[in-house]
Amino acid sequence: MTVEALTEKAKVVCNDKGVRFTTIREKVFRLLAGTQSGVGAYDLLEQLKQTEPNAKPATIYRALDFLAEMGFIHKIESTNAFMLCHHFEHTHPVQLLICEKCGHVEELNSHAIAHELNNQATDLGFKVVTQTIEARGICAKCQ
């Protein structure tokens, strides 16, 4: 899906939920939509400063918090980076395949993996609230 199509879909979701998709939020969304790997907050800030010279770290973090709350992005915990979710219209389990060489991140949505994790957690008396699994390796292009 193109950046334009993703952006329009995000606007519809925001409108349906009665929240504002501000100019800054949209710009950060578009920056993330333009990459296939995770991007750190300060890298996003530097990119945003090209069009918003007064942007500060708080500007980025507020935008990222909003985008995460809306389900538009995923946080890659191991690298403290963010990536766009291309199917944010519904809640889903997240598994990320991260290439060690080029940084490409591929998102999986395996309900079977999530189900097994939840079953084993329940057996241990644990309730999973959110789930993101990260697997590192080498992508097809880099092999």
Side-chain angles (χ1 to χ4, degrees), residues 14-136:
C14 288
N15 190 48
D16 290 348
K17 293 186 177 185
V19 296
R20 290 187 27 175
F21 198 52
T22 64
T23 302
I24 296 293
R25 292 169 177 173
E26 181 177 341
K27 286 181 179 185
V28 175
F29 180 94
R30 286 176 176 276
L31 290 172
L32 287 164
T35 184
Q36 292 295 312
S37 60
V39 182
Y42 282 91
D43 291 332
L44 285 168
L45 177 60
E46 291 309 311
Q47 292 175 46
L48 183 62
K49 281 185 175 184
Q50 292 176 14
T51 60
E52 300 290 332
N54 293 327
K56 305 280 187 254
T59 308
I60 281 292
Y61 284 113
R62 281 193 301 268
L64 289 170
D65 286 346
F66 171 83
L67 296 174
E69 183 180 315
M70 295 301 296
F72 295 158
I73 62 173
H74 299 300
K75 183 174 183 183
I76 304 168
E77 297 290 342
S78 62
T79 58
N80 201 26
F82 301 87
M83 65 173 281
L84 189 75
C85 175
H86 287 80
H87 35 276
F88 49 77
E89 63 277 0
H90 62 283
T91 304
H92 55 277
V94 180
Q95 301 92 30
L96 303 175
L97 304 177
I98 306 164
C99 181
E100 293 280 332
K101 288 191 176 186
C102 70
H104 176 78
V105 181
E106 194 68 45
E107 179 183 351
L108 304 178
N109 300 295
S110 172
H111 290 280
I113 292 171
H115 183 71
E116 185 61 24
L117 175 71
N118 284 325
N119 283 345
Q120 289 190 30
T122 299
D123 289 347
L124 296 171
F126 187 86
K127 179 170 176 43
V128 175
V129 177
T130 61
Q131 175 254 117
T132 300
I133 296 172
E134 297 179 20
R136 296 188 161 282

